[in-house]
């Protein structure tokens, strides 16, 4: 009875408010009430949608909001629910069947003005009891209560900063951190680029003398849009796979990093396509070191804009083994290039491609589990995350005792055709229910780069606000850096950091340096507006700008077994908790950071001696090379390269040809 009286009173108040507006059509149908709008809430956050006004849908030659959903069953509730699920705190309904999503600030930015309520008298297509705007008129609603997202806006040193470190010599298509403390750049050899030898190596300790900082290297075939990883052999050789056309698509190139910071190396890339080659020519493939130490190569196309290669192969090639067909790669071509790969703690292989993901058996490569599709744009579930729609992926940190599921984070991307860049990140725990959690980003971003930092956070930088990957296909460079902190609550993890003055668009890269900075390079948009970019920058995170001294450590054992106890001698300054992190050797290209992984092993200290308990097995921590950092609170040391898991595939003796230098076992 009490509930019935309350509902009657609420209804009376509603009708009186409509009568007071002298709006006959609103009396007949009405805008959605606060009580009804509350049913659109799906996040569990305290709050509700509240009707604001009838407004013009255009002003200053532009729409108020850019995201349009047309439905012949549209209701205000369905519109508000969809907008809310993608983090938009304002929404409007136009002409009965058009739902628009955005933010309240967009209204003034577009020069929209308030209109008469009678202008918003068109019935909702899905519920004619209520009004849903009119011709060029929006019935607009605002989310009130707990915000759907909170972005942080640090200032000064807390926002980090960009620094220019070199004029550069090439536009790298792929950058790799070397176990010799240097950074390899490979570029589109043979396609007319200046300084085109195919490869250079950067020694940042020699930046005061560019002739010493940049060592010219050479490849024999074109590495344009190839893949790279660091091998788990004792030399930490780098392997580069695939290329642009002809023989280069079959290319397998090896480099043994030598020298050290301040000490020039003499080794160069080695290649002989007549004796060592892929089974299938591949352009835009992905490579990954598996738990058995061999290299998995996935996907790509046969050559420049050619047919797909919907298959997988292994290096070194097992006796008699061919390629493994993958129907899911053929079905999603051409939007699945440079697929995202990762070893899961269960031993399965995660693969993300286009807007899909699945887990593969590591022996048969049959599908163990198909994950739900990744959310895309609020108005386009067909938006994608891999090249050419191109977002960027990272593995979220793993912490001792490593019993929890591994998380995958993918940020940015774009829609097919229109090239509307996405303004969200999605994350999942594939070994759990596989559901994707969506988080709104502060801006749209296609062709982003992401880099893991030693403190367990991530930098999102580079890319554009509109378009897709490729020459001349994107516009409006995104110069802002964003810090993503997964230790914070969902939808509160992003901080808007410093801006660069340099457009970093197609073919821009970012990798972690041993001193904790981010090496930012390249841009080759070929759009007639933004230049080809040779200059090299670093992004300096806030943990290096707070004035705290770095911790340091020494370590004798740099060749680890699983589940071992490793002593280190440390020097810390009492800035906070002592931690250690391990970050996998990485190669960055087209938003795909091959080899990236972040682990925080257990560490215990007694005075200046600490003991690290290494990760327990090859599924948690695949064999290979990792940068080991000591952290004193948020401040990282200079890293030291360590290897874990040995060389189980005996790559040190591969390939068995005299013109390849091999480190042995």
């Amino acid at each position: 009875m009490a509930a019935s009286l309350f509902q009657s009173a609420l209804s009376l108040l509603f009708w009186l408010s409509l009568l007071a507006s002298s709006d006959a059509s609103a009396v007949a149908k009405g805008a959605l009430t606060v009580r009804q709008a509350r049913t659109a809430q799906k996040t569990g956050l305290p709050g509700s949608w509240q009707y604001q006004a009838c407004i013009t849908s255009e002003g200053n030659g532009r729409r108020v909001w850019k995201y349009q959903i047309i439905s012949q069953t549209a209701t205000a509730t369905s519109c508000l629910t969809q907008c809310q699920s993608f983090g938009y705190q304002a929404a409007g309904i136009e002409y009965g069947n058009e739902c628009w999503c955005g933010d309240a600030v967009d209204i003034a930015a577009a020069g929209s003005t308030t209109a008469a309520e009678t202008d918003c008298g068109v019935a909702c297509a899905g519920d004619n009891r209520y009004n849903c705007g009119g011709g060029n008129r929006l019935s607009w609603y605002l989310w009130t209560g707990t915000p759907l997202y909170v972005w942080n806006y640090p200032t000064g040193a807390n926002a980090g900063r960009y620094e220019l470190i070199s004029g550069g010599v090439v536009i790298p298509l792929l950058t790799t951190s070397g176990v010799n403390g240097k950074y390899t750049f490979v570029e589109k050899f043979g396609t007319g680029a200046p300084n085109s030898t195919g490869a250079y190596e950067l020694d940042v300790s020699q930046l005061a003398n560019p002739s010493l900082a940049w060592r010219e290297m050479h490849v024999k075939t074109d590495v344009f849009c190839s893949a790279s990883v660091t091998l788990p052999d004792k030399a930490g050789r780098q392997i580069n796979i695939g290329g642009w056309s002809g023989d280069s698509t079959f290319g397998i190139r090896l480099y043994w990093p030598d020298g050290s910071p301040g000490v020039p190396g003499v080794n160069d890339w080695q290649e002989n396509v007549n004796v060592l080659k892929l089974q299938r020519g591949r352009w835009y493939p992905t490579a990954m070191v598996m738990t058995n130490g061999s290299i998995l190569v996935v996907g790509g196309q046969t050559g420049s804009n050619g047919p797909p290669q919907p298959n997988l192969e292994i290096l070194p090639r097992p006796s008699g083994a061919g390629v493994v067909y993958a129907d899911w790669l053929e079905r999603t071509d051409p939007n699945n290039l440079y697929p995202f790969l990762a070893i899961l703690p269960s031993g399965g292989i995660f693969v993300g491609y286009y807007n899909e993901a699945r887990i593969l058996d590591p022996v048969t490569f049959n599908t163990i589990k198909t994950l739900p599709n990744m959310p895309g744009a609020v108005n386009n579930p067909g938006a994608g995350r891999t090249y050419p729609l191109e977002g960027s992926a990272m593995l979220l940190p793993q912490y001792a005792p490593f019993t929890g599921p591994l998380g995958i984070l993918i940020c940015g991307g774009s829609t097919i055709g229109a090239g509307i860049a996405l303004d969200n990140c999605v994350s999942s725990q594939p070994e759990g229910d596989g559901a994707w959690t969506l988080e709104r980003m502060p801006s749209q971003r296609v062709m982003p780069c992401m880099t893991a930092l030693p403190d367990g956070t991530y930098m999102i930088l580079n890319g554009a606000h509109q378009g897709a990957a490729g020459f001349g296909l994107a516009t409006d460079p995104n110069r802002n850096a964003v810090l993503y902190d997964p230790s914070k609550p969902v939808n509160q993890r992003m901080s808007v950091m410093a801006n660069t003055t340099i457009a970093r668009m197609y073919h821009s890269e970012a990798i972690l340096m041993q001193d904790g900075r981010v090496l930012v390079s390249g841009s080759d948009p070929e759009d007639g507006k933004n230049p080809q970019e040779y200059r090299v920058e670093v992004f300096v995170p806030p943990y290096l700008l707070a004035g705290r001294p770095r911790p340091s450590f020494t370590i004798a054992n740099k060749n680890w077994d699983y589940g071992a106890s490793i002593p280190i001698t440390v020097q810390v300054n009492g800035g906070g908790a002592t931690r250690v992190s391990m970050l996998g050797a990485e190669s960055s290209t087209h938003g795909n950071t091959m080899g990236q992984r972040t682990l925080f092993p257990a560490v215990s200290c007694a005075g200046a001696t600490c003991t690290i308990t290494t990760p327990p097995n090859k599924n948690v921590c695949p064999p290979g090379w990792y940068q080991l950092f000591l952290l004193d609170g948020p401040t990282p040391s200079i890293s030291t390269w360590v290897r874990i898991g040995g060389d189980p595939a005996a790559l040190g003796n591969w390939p068995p040809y005299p013109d390849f230098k091999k480190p042995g076992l």
Side-chain angles (χ1 to χ4, degrees), residues 220 237 254 268-276 655-662:
K220 296 178 181 177
R237 286 182 299 168
L254 289 159
D268 207 336
W269 287 92
Q270 296 177 314
E271 178 181 8
N272 184 345
V273 74
N274 295 316
V275 298
L276 182 65
Y657 304 112
D659 48 352
F660 287 86
K661 183 179 179 182
K662 296 173 283 291

Side-chain angles (χ1 to χ4, degrees), residues 266-355:
V266 296
N267 290 345
D268 207 336
W269 287 92
Q270 296 177 314
E271 178 181 8
N272 184 345
V273 74
N274 295 316
V275 298
L276 182 65
K277 62 192 298 184
L278 295 168
Q279 295 184 60
R280 297 286 189 272
R282 299 182 188 274
W283 191 50
Y284 292 104
T286 298
M288 181 188 72
V289 176
M290 298 201 300
T291 56
N292 65 5
S294 57
I295 302 112
L296 176 65
V297 185
V298 178
Q301 294 181 333
T302 60
S304 179
N305 299 313
Q309 281 291 11
N311 49 65
L312 303 73
E313 64 177 281
I314 301 294
L315 295 173
R317 181 182 179 181
S319 177
V323 301
V324 179
Y325 172 68
D327 65 291
W328 39 273
L329 284 175
E330 186 161 50
R331 173 174 49 78
T332 55
D333 179 74
N335 296 310
N336 59 27
L337 303 180
Y338 279 134
F340 303 130
L341 298 177
I343 299 295
L344 299 173
S346 64
I349 298 172
F350 169 87
V351 54
Y353 54 97
Y354 179 40
N355 65 351

Side-chain angles (χ1 to χ4, degrees), residues 204-246:
V204 295
S205 74
Q206 299 292 312
L207 286 171
N209 188 338
S211 64
L212 298 177
W214 294 95
R215 181 165 76 92
E216 182 180 283
M217 304 173 73
H218 308 82
V219 293
K220 296 178 181 177
T221 58
D222 198 337
V223 296
F224 185 25
C225 300
S226 55
S228 280
V229 289
T230 296
L231 301 182
D233 64 30
K234 64 182 183 181
R237 286 182 299 168
Q238 298 167 19
I239 186 170
N240 180 268
I241 297 163
W244 182 39
S245 64

